[in-house]
């Protein structure tokens, strides 16, 4: 099932991968996709067009912004 998303921004990771951060319009859920895998990236979880799980650090940052 597809949903409409709004682009919030791109980020280049230290491994060379580029991610896109999006918000689903219907649910306001935020998701991060790997747009391009870096040529030297060795992380298996970084697969093009797949979502990245949020890390504990990013959750702490989001919670700090919300308060």
């Amino acid at each position: 099932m597809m949903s409409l998303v709004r682009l919030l921004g791109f980020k280049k990771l230290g491994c060379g991968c580029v991610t896109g951060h999006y918000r689903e319009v219907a649910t306001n859920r935020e998701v991060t996709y790997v747009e391009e895998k870096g040529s030297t990236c060795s992380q298996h979880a970084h697969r093009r067009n797949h979502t990245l799980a949020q890390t504990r650090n990013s959750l702490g940052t989001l919670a700090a912004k919300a308060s």
Side-chain angles (χ1 to χ4, degrees), residues 40-58:
T40 59
C41 179
S42 62
Q43 296 189 35
H44 179 69
H46 292 179
R47 294 176 294 168
R48 191 170 185 262
N49 294 328
H50 284 80
T51 58
L52 286 179
Q54 290 188 349
T55 62
R56 291 177 191 218
N57 290 341
S58 66

Side-chain angles (χ1 to χ4, degrees), residues 9-21 32-33 35-40 46 52:
F10 293 100
K11 183 177 182 180
K12 185 172 183 180
L13 304 178
C15 61
C17 293
V18 176
T19 60
H21 194 69
T32 302
Y33 286 95
E35 299 291 342
E36 290 293 329
K37 183 162 174 84
S39 59
T40 59
H46 292 179
L52 286 179

